[in-house]
Amino acid sequence: MTILHNIPTDELQRIDAAHHVHPFSDNAELARDGARIITRAEGVFLYDSDGNKILDGMAGLWCTNIGYGRNELADAAYEQMKQLPYYNTFFKTSHPPIIALSQKLAEIAPGDLNHVFYASGGSEANDTNIRLVRHYWAAKGKPTKKVIISRHNAYHGSTMGGASLGGMKGMHAQGGLPIPDMAYIDQPNWYAEGGETTPEDFGLERARQLEAKIAELGEDNVAAFIAEPVQGAGGVIVPPSTYWPEIQRICDAHDILLIADEVICGFGRTGNWFGSETYGITPDIMTIAKGLSSGYQPIGGSILSDEVAQTIADAGDFNHGYTYGGHPVGAAVALENIRILQDEKIVENVRDVTGPYLAQKWAQLADHPLVGEAVISGFMASVALTPDKSARAPFSTPVGTVGTICRNFCFDGGLVMRHVGDRMIIAPPLVLTIAEIDILMEHAVEALDKTHAHLKAQGMMVAG
Ligand SMILES: *Cc1c(COP(=O)(O)O)cnc(C)c1O
Protein backbone atom coordinates (compact mmCIF):
# COMPACT_ATOMS: atom_id res chain seq x y z
CA MET A 1 0.00 0.00 0.00
CA THR A 2 1.54 3.31 -1.06
CA ILE A 3 -0.98 5.47 0.81
CA LEU A 4 0.69 7.08 3.82
CA HIS A 5 -0.80 5.33 6.85
CA ASN A 6 0.72 5.42 10.34
CA ILE A 7 2.90 8.41 9.64
CA PRO A 8 3.05 11.20 12.26
CA THR A 9 0.75 14.16 11.67
CA ASP A 10 3.50 16.74 11.35
CA GLU A 11 5.24 14.66 8.68
CA LEU A 12 1.97 14.32 6.72
CA GLN A 13 1.47 18.07 7.03
CA ARG A 14 4.97 18.75 5.80
CA ILE A 15 4.57 16.56 2.71
CA ASP A 16 1.10 18.00 2.07
CA ALA A 17 2.43 21.56 2.19
CA ALA A 18 5.36 20.65 -0.05
CA HIS A 19 3.35 19.05 -2.85
CA HIS A 20 -0.40 19.62 -2.57
CA VAL A 21 -2.09 22.84 -3.70
CA HIS A 22 -5.42 23.23 -1.85
CA PRO A 23 -8.59 24.67 -3.40
CA PHE A 24 -10.16 27.85 -1.98
CA SER A 25 -7.21 28.22 0.42
CA ASP A 26 -4.40 30.58 1.29
CA ASN A 27 -1.76 27.94 0.63
CA ALA A 28 1.07 29.90 2.26
CA GLU A 29 -0.90 30.29 5.47
CA LEU A 30 -1.95 26.65 5.32
CA ALA A 31 1.68 25.58 4.94
CA ARG A 32 2.52 27.48 8.15
CA ASP A 33 -0.46 26.14 10.14
CA GLY A 34 -0.56 22.61 8.74
CA ALA A 35 -3.68 20.96 7.35
CA ARG A 36 -5.96 18.92 9.56
CA ILE A 37 -5.58 15.34 8.32
CA ILE A 38 -8.81 13.35 8.23
CA THR A 39 -8.04 9.65 8.22
CA ARG A 40 -11.40 7.90 8.48
CA ALA A 41 -15.10 8.39 9.09
CA GLU A 42 -18.06 6.42 10.33
CA GLY A 43 -21.71 7.43 10.41
CA VAL A 44 -21.69 11.20 11.03
CA PHE A 45 -18.27 11.34 12.69
CA LEU A 46 -14.83 12.13 11.27
CA TYR A 47 -11.55 11.04 12.86
CA ASP A 48 -8.30 12.95 12.36
CA SER A 49 -4.70 11.76 12.45
CA ASP A 50 -4.40 12.82 16.11
CA GLY A 51 -7.34 10.64 17.08
CA ASN A 52 -9.86 13.46 17.51
CA LYS A 53 -13.52 12.59 16.86
CA ILE A 54 -15.44 15.36 15.11
CA LEU A 55 -19.15 15.55 14.27
CA ASP A 56 -19.39 16.44 10.59
CA GLY A 57 -21.99 19.20 10.56
CA MET A 58 -21.29 19.88 6.86
CA ALA A 59 -21.71 16.35 5.41
CA GLY A 60 -18.26 16.69 3.82
CA LEU A 61 -19.00 19.49 1.35
CA TRP A 62 -22.80 19.24 1.52
CA CYS A 63 -22.68 15.78 -0.01
CA THR A 64 -22.45 12.75 2.29
CA ASN A 65 -26.23 12.61 2.71
CA ILE A 66 -26.33 8.94 3.80
CA GLY A 67 -23.33 9.39 6.11
CA TYR A 68 -19.99 7.61 6.08
CA GLY A 69 -19.08 3.95 6.16
CA ARG A 70 -21.86 2.44 4.06
CA ASN A 71 -20.23 -0.71 2.72
CA GLU A 72 -23.06 -1.24 0.23
CA LEU A 73 -21.66 1.66 -1.83
CA ALA A 74 -18.13 0.29 -1.63
CA ASP A 75 -19.42 -3.11 -2.77
CA ALA A 76 -21.37 -1.55 -5.64
CA ALA A 77 -18.20 0.22 -6.82
CA TYR A 78 -16.09 -2.93 -6.45
CA GLU A 79 -18.54 -5.13 -8.35
CA GLN A 80 -18.93 -2.54 -11.12
CA MET A 81 -15.15 -2.07 -11.43
CA LYS A 82 -14.75 -5.80 -11.97
CA GLN A 83 -17.65 -6.02 -14.45
CA LEU A 84 -16.98 -2.85 -16.48
CA PRO A 85 -14.71 -0.24 -14.87
CA TYR A 86 -15.08 2.27 -17.68
CA TYR A 87 -16.76 2.81 -20.96
CA ASN A 88 -17.92 5.99 -22.65
CA THR A 89 -21.38 6.82 -23.94
CA PHE A 90 -20.27 9.05 -26.82
CA PHE A 91 -20.43 6.96 -29.95
CA LYS A 92 -23.74 5.13 -30.03
CA THR A 93 -22.88 3.08 -26.94
CA SER A 94 -24.40 2.80 -23.48
CA HIS A 95 -24.15 0.49 -20.46
CA PRO A 96 -26.54 -0.97 -17.88
CA PRO A 97 -25.59 1.18 -14.83
CA ILE A 98 -26.18 4.47 -16.63
CA ILE A 99 -29.40 3.18 -18.19
CA ALA A 100 -30.69 2.12 -14.78
CA LEU A 101 -29.64 5.38 -13.11
CA SER A 102 -31.30 7.48 -15.83
CA GLN A 103 -34.55 5.58 -15.41
CA LYS A 104 -34.36 6.01 -11.63
CA LEU A 105 -33.66 9.75 -11.85
CA ALA A 106 -36.59 10.21 -14.24
CA GLU A 107 -38.76 8.41 -11.67
CA ILE A 108 -37.74 10.56 -8.67
CA ALA A 109 -37.35 13.94 -10.41
CA PRO A 110 -40.55 16.01 -10.37
CA GLY A 111 -42.86 16.64 -13.34
CA ASP A 112 -41.58 15.96 -16.83
CA LEU A 113 -37.87 16.13 -15.92
CA ASN A 114 -37.13 12.77 -17.53
CA HIS A 115 -33.79 13.02 -19.37
CA VAL A 116 -30.26 13.18 -17.96
CA PHE A 117 -27.00 14.50 -19.42
CA TYR A 118 -24.09 13.46 -17.18
CA ALA A 119 -20.96 15.18 -15.87
CA SER A 120 -18.37 14.50 -13.14
CA GLY A 121 -19.75 17.15 -10.79
CA GLY A 122 -21.86 20.26 -10.43
CA SER A 123 -19.52 22.75 -12.14
CA GLU A 124 -19.29 20.64 -15.28
CA ALA A 125 -23.05 20.14 -15.28
CA ASN A 126 -23.59 23.89 -15.14
CA ASP A 127 -21.11 24.34 -17.99
CA THR A 128 -23.29 21.93 -19.92
CA ASN A 129 -26.33 24.04 -19.05
CA ILE A 130 -24.76 27.19 -20.50
CA ARG A 131 -24.07 25.54 -23.83
CA LEU A 132 -27.30 23.61 -23.78
CA VAL A 133 -29.71 26.51 -23.22
CA ARG A 134 -28.05 28.59 -25.94
CA HIS A 135 -28.10 25.63 -28.32
CA TYR A 136 -31.75 25.08 -27.39
CA TRP A 137 -32.76 28.62 -28.37
CA ALA A 138 -30.67 28.50 -31.54
CA ALA A 139 -32.47 25.28 -32.45
CA LYS A 140 -35.78 27.08 -31.97
CA GLY A 141 -34.69 29.80 -34.39
CA LYS A 142 -33.88 32.34 -31.67
CA PRO A 143 -30.07 32.46 -31.64
CA THR A 144 -30.02 35.89 -29.98
CA LYS A 145 -31.39 34.43 -26.75
CA LYS A 146 -27.99 33.94 -25.09
CA VAL A 147 -27.82 35.88 -21.83
CA ILE A 148 -28.13 33.89 -18.63
CA ILE A 149 -29.31 35.80 -15.59
CA SER A 150 -28.00 34.75 -12.19
CA ARG A 151 -27.68 36.36 -8.77
CA HIS A 152 -24.99 38.11 -6.78
CA ASN A 153 -23.59 35.78 -4.13
CA ALA A 154 -24.83 32.67 -5.95
CA TYR A 155 -22.57 29.62 -6.21
CA HIS A 156 -22.71 27.47 -9.33
CA GLY A 157 -19.21 25.96 -9.42
CA SER A 158 -15.62 26.79 -10.10
CA THR A 159 -15.02 26.18 -13.81
CA MET A 160 -14.98 29.25 -16.12
CA GLY A 161 -18.65 28.68 -16.85
CA GLY A 162 -19.71 27.70 -13.34
CA ALA A 163 -17.90 30.60 -11.69
CA SER A 164 -19.31 33.00 -14.28
CA LEU A 165 -22.82 31.79 -13.54
CA GLY A 166 -22.03 32.26 -9.87
CA GLY A 167 -22.05 35.72 -8.35
CA MET A 168 -19.07 35.46 -6.02
CA LYS A 169 -17.05 38.70 -6.20
CA GLY A 170 -13.83 37.06 -5.01
CA MET A 171 -14.05 34.49 -7.78
CA HIS A 172 -14.85 36.98 -10.53
CA ALA A 173 -11.79 38.98 -9.44
CA GLN A 174 -9.44 36.17 -10.52
CA GLY A 175 -8.91 34.67 -13.96
CA GLY A 176 -10.83 37.02 -16.20
CA LEU A 177 -14.43 36.35 -15.24
CA PRO A 178 -17.26 36.44 -16.00
CA ILE A 179 -17.46 35.10 -19.55
CA PRO A 180 -19.67 37.17 -21.92
CA ASP A 181 -23.47 37.22 -21.85
CA MET A 182 -23.99 36.86 -18.11
CA ALA A 183 -26.14 39.22 -16.03
CA TYR A 184 -26.89 39.41 -12.33
CA ILE A 185 -29.66 40.49 -10.02
CA ASP A 186 -29.52 40.87 -6.23
CA GLN A 187 -30.00 37.94 -3.86
CA PRO A 188 -33.08 37.52 -1.62
CA ASN A 189 -31.01 38.00 1.55
CA TRP A 190 -33.49 39.84 3.76
CA TYR A 191 -31.34 39.81 6.90
CA ALA A 192 -28.39 41.62 5.32
CA GLU A 193 -30.11 43.70 2.65
CA GLY A 194 -33.79 44.01 3.58
CA GLY A 195 -33.50 47.13 5.71
CA GLU A 196 -36.90 48.22 7.04
CA THR A 197 -38.87 46.23 4.43
CA THR A 198 -40.86 43.18 5.58
CA PRO A 199 -39.42 39.86 4.38
CA GLU A 200 -42.52 39.29 2.21
CA ASP A 201 -42.26 42.65 0.44
CA PHE A 202 -38.52 42.23 0.10
CA GLY A 203 -38.96 38.79 -1.51
CA LEU A 204 -41.28 40.29 -4.15
CA GLU A 205 -38.95 43.23 -4.70
CA ARG A 206 -35.94 41.00 -5.31
CA ALA A 207 -37.91 38.65 -7.59
CA ARG A 208 -39.14 41.61 -9.65
CA GLN A 209 -35.54 42.59 -10.31
CA LEU A 210 -35.60 39.61 -12.67
CA GLU A 211 -38.48 41.11 -14.64
CA ALA A 212 -36.70 44.46 -14.76
CA LYS A 213 -33.47 42.82 -15.93
CA ILE A 214 -35.30 40.93 -18.69
CA ALA A 215 -36.89 44.21 -19.82
CA GLU A 216 -33.52 45.96 -19.77
CA LEU A 217 -31.78 43.23 -21.80
CA GLY A 218 -34.76 42.51 -24.04
CA GLU A 219 -36.63 39.22 -23.84
CA ASP A 220 -35.18 38.19 -27.22
CA ASN A 221 -31.69 38.22 -25.70
CA VAL A 222 -32.32 36.20 -22.54
CA ALA A 223 -31.91 32.43 -22.53
CA ALA A 224 -32.37 31.43 -18.91
CA PHE A 225 -32.41 32.28 -15.23
CA ILE A 226 -30.41 30.07 -12.87
CA ALA A 227 -30.69 29.88 -9.09
CA GLU A 228 -30.27 27.58 -6.12
CA PRO A 229 -33.63 26.99 -4.38
CA VAL A 230 -31.77 27.88 -1.16
CA GLN A 231 -28.35 29.51 -1.60
CA GLY A 232 -25.80 27.18 -0.02
CA ALA A 233 -22.22 28.43 -0.27
CA GLY A 234 -23.55 31.99 -0.13
CA GLY A 235 -24.39 31.36 3.53
CA VAL A 236 -27.59 29.24 3.59
CA ILE A 237 -29.84 32.13 2.58
CA VAL A 238 -33.44 30.95 2.86
CA PRO A 239 -35.57 33.16 0.58
CA PRO A 240 -38.77 34.86 1.82
CA SER A 241 -41.93 32.84 1.05
CA THR A 242 -42.97 35.32 -1.65
CA TYR A 243 -39.78 34.96 -3.67
CA TRP A 244 -40.06 31.73 -5.65
CA PRO A 245 -43.71 32.01 -6.74
CA GLU A 246 -42.91 35.43 -8.23
CA ILE A 247 -39.75 34.15 -9.94
CA GLN A 248 -41.77 31.29 -11.43
CA ARG A 249 -44.45 33.67 -12.70
CA ILE A 250 -41.82 35.88 -14.36
CA CYS A 251 -40.00 32.99 -16.06
CA ASP A 252 -43.33 31.65 -17.40
CA ALA A 253 -44.48 35.07 -18.58
CA HIS A 254 -41.29 35.87 -20.47
CA ASP A 255 -40.40 32.65 -22.23
CA ILE A 256 -37.05 32.06 -20.59
CA LEU A 257 -35.80 28.76 -19.23
CA LEU A 258 -35.57 28.22 -15.48
CA ILE A 259 -32.56 26.27 -14.23
CA ALA A 260 -32.77 25.09 -10.62
CA ASP A 261 -29.28 24.35 -9.34
CA GLU A 262 -30.13 21.46 -7.03
CA VAL A 263 -26.52 20.42 -6.39
CA ILE A 264 -26.99 21.02 -2.66
CA CYS A 265 -30.78 21.04 -2.32
CA GLY A 266 -31.28 17.79 -4.23
CA PHE A 267 -31.53 14.32 -2.71
CA GLY A 268 -33.29 15.22 0.48
CA ARG A 269 -31.44 18.25 1.81
CA THR A 270 -34.53 20.44 2.25
CA GLY A 271 -36.80 17.60 3.43
CA ASN A 272 -38.06 16.67 -0.04
CA TRP A 273 -36.21 14.91 -2.82
CA PHE A 274 -35.58 18.26 -4.49
CA GLY A 275 -35.61 21.86 -3.30
CA SER A 276 -37.89 22.60 -6.25
CA GLU A 277 -40.59 20.57 -4.51
CA THR A 278 -40.09 22.36 -1.20
CA TYR A 279 -40.35 25.79 -2.86
CA GLY A 280 -42.96 24.99 -5.55
CA ILE A 281 -40.59 25.53 -8.49
CA THR A 282 -41.15 23.98 -11.93
CA PRO A 283 -37.72 24.12 -13.56
CA ASP A 284 -36.90 23.24 -17.16
CA ILE A 285 -33.48 21.97 -16.10
CA MET A 286 -32.14 20.78 -12.75
CA THR A 287 -28.42 20.60 -11.97
CA ILE A 288 -27.52 17.64 -9.73
CA ALA A 289 -24.31 16.34 -8.10
CA LYS A 290 -23.13 16.05 -4.44
CA GLY A 291 -25.94 14.08 -2.72
CA LEU A 292 -26.57 12.09 -5.93
CA SER A 293 -23.80 9.70 -4.84
CA SER A 294 -23.50 10.99 -1.26
CA GLY A 295 -20.04 12.03 -2.42
CA TYR A 296 -18.77 8.45 -2.57
CA GLN A 297 -18.02 8.92 -6.29
CA PRO A 298 -17.74 12.08 -8.39
CA ILE A 299 -20.88 12.29 -10.52
CA GLY A 300 -23.25 15.06 -11.57
CA GLY A 301 -25.61 15.96 -14.35
CA SER A 302 -28.41 18.01 -15.83
CA ILE A 303 -31.96 16.67 -15.75
CA LEU A 304 -33.92 18.06 -18.70
CA SER A 305 -37.65 18.42 -19.26
CA ASP A 306 -39.31 16.48 -22.08
CA GLU A 307 -39.56 19.64 -24.16
CA VAL A 308 -35.92 20.70 -23.71
CA ALA A 309 -34.64 17.18 -24.40
CA GLN A 310 -36.85 16.84 -27.48
CA THR A 311 -35.71 20.18 -28.89
CA ILE A 312 -32.05 19.21 -28.42
CA ALA A 313 -32.69 15.78 -29.96
CA ASP A 314 -34.41 17.29 -33.00
CA ALA A 315 -31.46 19.65 -33.60
CA GLY A 316 -28.98 16.95 -34.60
CA ASP A 317 -25.54 16.63 -33.02
CA PHE A 318 -24.97 18.27 -29.61
CA ASN A 319 -21.20 18.75 -29.73
CA HIS A 320 -20.52 18.42 -26.05
CA GLY A 321 -19.47 15.73 -23.57
CA TYR A 322 -17.03 14.69 -20.85
CA THR A 323 -14.84 11.58 -20.86
CA TYR A 324 -16.13 10.64 -17.43
CA GLY A 325 -19.73 11.74 -17.99
CA GLY A 326 -21.96 8.73 -17.36
CA HIS A 327 -19.17 6.80 -15.66
CA PRO A 328 -20.32 3.24 -14.87
CA VAL A 329 -18.78 3.17 -11.37
CA GLY A 330 -20.28 6.55 -10.45
CA ALA A 331 -23.64 5.39 -11.79
CA ALA A 332 -23.55 2.12 -9.83
CA VAL A 333 -22.71 3.98 -6.62
CA ALA A 334 -25.37 6.65 -7.22
CA LEU A 335 -27.99 3.94 -7.80
CA GLU A 336 -27.08 2.21 -4.55
CA ASN A 337 -27.14 5.56 -2.73
CA ILE A 338 -30.64 6.31 -4.03
CA ARG A 339 -31.76 2.79 -3.10
CA ILE A 340 -30.64 3.39 0.49
CA LEU A 341 -32.27 6.84 0.62
CA GLN A 342 -35.52 5.25 -0.59
CA ASP A 343 -35.49 1.96 1.34
CA GLU A 344 -34.55 3.58 4.65
CA LYS A 345 -36.98 6.47 4.09
CA ILE A 346 -34.20 8.91 4.90
CA VAL A 347 -35.78 11.86 3.07
CA GLU A 348 -39.18 11.28 4.73
CA ASN A 349 -37.44 11.07 8.09
CA VAL A 350 -35.81 14.49 7.56
CA ARG A 351 -39.16 15.91 6.47
CA ASP A 352 -41.28 14.45 9.27
CA VAL A 353 -39.04 13.66 12.24
CA THR A 354 -35.45 14.83 12.47
CA GLY A 355 -35.89 17.99 10.36
CA PRO A 356 -38.68 19.41 12.54
CA TYR A 357 -36.69 18.48 15.67
CA LEU A 358 -33.54 20.22 14.38
CA ALA A 359 -35.66 23.21 13.30
CA GLN A 360 -37.09 23.61 16.79
CA LYS A 361 -33.63 23.44 18.40
CA TRP A 362 -32.04 25.70 15.77
CA ALA A 363 -34.73 28.36 16.22
CA GLN A 364 -33.75 28.66 19.89
CA LEU A 365 -30.34 29.98 18.80
CA ALA A 366 -32.09 33.22 17.85
CA ASP A 367 -32.19 33.99 21.60
CA HIS A 368 -28.40 33.84 21.86
CA PRO A 369 -26.87 37.32 22.44
CA LEU A 370 -24.56 36.86 19.44
CA VAL A 371 -27.22 35.73 16.94
CA GLY A 372 -29.15 38.12 14.68
CA GLU A 373 -31.22 35.46 12.93
CA ALA A 374 -31.44 31.67 12.81
CA VAL A 375 -32.90 30.13 9.65
CA ILE A 376 -33.33 26.57 8.43
CA SER A 377 -34.70 24.56 5.52
CA GLY A 378 -34.77 20.82 6.17
CA PHE A 379 -31.20 19.89 7.03
CA MET A 380 -29.45 23.11 5.97
CA ALA A 381 -29.33 25.99 8.40
CA SER A 382 -27.48 29.17 9.33
CA VAL A 383 -27.15 31.83 11.99
CA ALA A 384 -26.02 35.40 11.39
CA LEU A 385 -23.61 36.67 14.06
CA THR A 386 -24.04 40.26 15.17
CA PRO A 387 -22.85 42.67 17.88
CA ASP A 388 -26.33 44.30 17.90
CA LYS A 389 -29.38 42.07 17.43
CA SER A 390 -32.03 44.75 17.11
CA ALA A 391 -30.16 46.57 14.34
CA ARG A 392 -29.06 43.36 12.51
CA ALA A 393 -25.69 45.14 12.51
CA PRO A 394 -22.45 43.78 11.05
CA PHE A 395 -19.24 43.83 13.11
CA SER A 396 -16.66 46.61 12.84
CA THR A 397 -13.99 44.00 12.05
CA PRO A 398 -13.45 42.84 8.44
CA VAL A 399 -16.20 40.44 7.32
CA GLY A 400 -15.31 36.89 8.30
CA THR A 401 -13.13 37.76 11.29
CA VAL A 402 -15.75 36.76 13.83
CA GLY A 403 -16.95 33.86 11.70
CA THR A 404 -13.42 32.43 11.64
CA ILE A 405 -13.13 32.73 15.43
CA CYS A 406 -16.41 30.87 15.89
CA ARG A 407 -15.48 28.23 13.29
CA ASN A 408 -12.22 27.55 15.16
CA PHE A 409 -14.05 27.12 18.47
CA CYS A 410 -16.39 24.67 16.71
CA PHE A 411 -13.60 22.60 15.21
CA ASP A 412 -11.65 22.50 18.48
CA GLY A 413 -14.83 21.52 20.32
CA GLY A 414 -15.54 18.58 18.02
CA LEU A 415 -17.96 20.00 15.44
CA VAL A 416 -17.49 20.94 11.79
CA MET A 417 -19.58 24.07 11.34
CA ARG A 418 -18.45 26.35 8.50
CA HIS A 419 -18.54 30.11 8.34
CA VAL A 420 -19.47 32.23 5.35
CA GLY A 421 -18.40 35.71 6.29
CA ASP A 422 -19.93 36.13 9.74
CA ARG A 423 -22.70 33.58 9.18
CA MET A 424 -22.30 30.09 10.65
CA ILE A 425 -23.75 27.28 8.57
CA ILE A 426 -24.55 23.58 8.90
CA ALA A 427 -25.71 20.92 6.45
CA PRO A 428 -25.27 17.64 8.32
CA PRO A 429 -25.66 14.13 6.92
CA LEU A 430 -29.36 13.31 6.54
CA VAL A 431 -28.93 10.25 8.75
CA LEU A 432 -28.17 12.40 11.81
CA THR A 433 -30.28 10.99 14.68
CA ILE A 434 -32.18 12.88 17.38
CA ALA A 435 -29.40 12.04 19.88
CA GLU A 436 -26.77 13.29 17.43
CA ILE A 437 -28.76 16.49 16.84
CA ASP A 438 -28.53 17.09 20.59
CA ILE A 439 -24.74 16.64 20.41
CA LEU A 440 -24.51 19.01 17.44
CA MET A 441 -26.57 21.66 19.22
CA GLU A 442 -24.55 21.31 22.41
CA HIS A 443 -21.30 21.90 20.49
CA ALA A 444 -22.83 24.78 18.52
CA VAL A 445 -24.06 26.59 21.63
CA GLU A 446 -20.73 26.03 23.35
CA ALA A 447 -18.87 27.54 20.39
CA LEU A 448 -21.25 30.53 20.29
CA ASP A 449 -20.77 31.06 24.06
CA LYS A 450 -16.98 30.89 23.74
CA THR A 451 -17.03 33.24 20.76
CA HIS A 452 -19.24 35.70 22.63
CA ALA A 453 -16.97 35.61 25.71
CA HIS A 454 -13.89 36.06 23.51
CA LEU A 455 -15.39 39.03 21.64
CA LYS A 456 -16.40 40.73 24.87
CA ALA A 457 -12.96 40.17 26.40
CA GLN A 458 -11.32 41.61 23.27
CA GLY A 459 -13.72 44.55 23.02
CA MET A 460 -14.96 43.25 19.66
CA MET A 461 -18.74 43.37 20.23
CA VAL A 462 -18.78 46.54 18.18
CA ALA A 463 -21.04 47.37 15.24
CA GLY A 464 -19.39 48.55 12.02
C1 LIG B 1 -20.91 22.59 -5.07
C2 LIG B 1 -21.84 23.29 -6.00
C3 LIG B 1 -21.61 23.31 -7.39
C4 LIG B 1 -20.33 22.78 -7.99
O1 LIG B 1 -20.25 21.40 -7.90
P1 LIG B 1 -18.81 20.70 -8.05
O2 LIG B 1 -19.15 19.24 -7.94
O3 LIG B 1 -17.94 21.23 -6.96
O4 LIG B 1 -18.28 21.04 -9.38
C5 LIG B 1 -22.55 23.88 -8.20
N1 LIG B 1 -23.68 24.40 -7.70
C6 LIG B 1 -23.95 24.41 -6.38
C7 LIG B 1 -25.23 24.99 -5.89
C8 LIG B 1 -23.02 23.87 -5.48
O5 LIG B 1 -23.25 23.93 -4.18
Side-chain angles (χ1 to χ4, degrees), residues 62 120-124 126 155-158 228 233 261 263-264 289-290:
W62 323 82
S120 313
S123 306
E124 278 186 4
N126 277 329
Y155 188 78
H156 297 297
S158 210
E228 308 151 77
D261 187 337
V263 170
I264 286 175
K290 293 191 173 130

Side-chain angles (χ1 to χ4, degrees), residues 44-340:
V44 300
F45 291 98
L46 307 167
Y47 297 85
D48 70 17
S49 54
D50 294 329
N52 294 307
K53 179 180 176 182
I54 308 158
L55 198 163
D56 185 4
M58 283 305 298
L61 266 181
W62 323 82
C63 56
T64 52
N65 288 11
I66 62 164
Y68 299 93
R70 292 299 301 244
N71 289 338
E72 300 94 319
L73 272 63
D75 292 342
Y78 179 68
E79 292 304 326
Q80 186 56 47
M81 275 201 201
K82 286 192 294 184
Q83 177 88 24
L84 179 72
Y86 176 76
Y87 201 70
N88 72 75
T89 56
F90 281 32
F91 307 117
K92 295 191 173 172
T93 54
S94 197
H95 50 70
I98 210 66
I99 294 168
L101 178 61
S102 303
Q103 182 185 40
K104 176 56 78 176
L105 288 170
E107 173 199 315
I108 62 175
D112 66 350
L113 294 162
N114 290 320
H115 315 267
V116 194
F117 189 99
Y118 291 96
S120 313
S123 306
E124 278 186 4
N126 277 329
D127 271 33
T128 295
N129 293 338
I130 295 172
R131 300 195 60 205
L132 193 137
V133 297
R134 291 173 178 168
H135 178 55
Y136 165 94
W137 286 115
K140 289 176 92 85
K142 296 181 175 176
T144 59
K145 282 173 83 69
K146 285 201 296 210
V147 178
I148 302 173
I149 302 174
S150 176
R151 306 181 296 179
H152 297 298
N153 200 36
Y155 188 78
H156 297 297
S158 210
T159 52
M160 290 296 281
S164 294
L165 285 176
M168 299 282 176
K169 280 202 191 74
M171 294 178 76
H172 286 191
Q174 298 173 341
L177 296 182
I179 60 172
D181 295 319
M182 297 285 162
Y184 307 89
I185 59 174
D186 291 321
Q187 58 176 337
N189 183 347
W190 174 80
Y191 176 84
E193 300 171 6
E196 298 301 310
T197 324
T198 64
E200 290 70 28
D201 286 348
F202 180 74
L204 285 177
E205 221 172 77
R206 285 289 152 104
R208 285 174 189 157
Q209 280 194 9
L210 177 60
E211 199 153 43
K213 184 59 83 177
I214 294 168
E216 175 196 323
L217 295 163
E219 196 172 312
D220 290 344
N221 297 314
V222 180
F225 174 66
I226 184 169
E228 308 151 77
V230 176
Q231 286 157 267
V236 184
I237 312 296
V238 180
S241 61
T242 48
Y243 182 75
W244 272 111
E246 186 66 0
I247 290 285
Q248 183 72 53
R249 181 193 68 73
I250 293 165
C251 289
D252 293 346
H254 295 283
D255 202 23
I256 69 170
L257 296 174
L258 175 54
I259 306 169
D261 187 337
E262 294 267 6
V263 170
I264 286 175
C265 293
F267 302 94
R269 178 58 58 197
T270 67
N272 290 294
W273 277 88
F274 295 95
S276 291
E277 294 162 306
T278 305
Y279 292 93
I281 308 164
T282 309
D284 300 287
I285 299 172
M286 282 192 333
T287 319
I288 56 170
K290 293 191 173 130
L292 166 59
S293 66
S294 278
Y296 281 54
Q297 281 289 295
I299 181 169
S302 307
I303 312 187
L304 315 177
S305 71
D306 289 339
E307 198 269 334
V308 170
Q310 192 60 51
T311 302
I312 298 299
D314 291 344
D317 280 342
F318 180 36
N319 299 317
H320 178 74
Y322 308 110
T323 300
Y324 297 130
H327 197 286
V329 179
V333 169
L335 263 175
E336 185 61 9
N337 175 60
I338 294 170
R339 184 195 66 72
I340 290 174

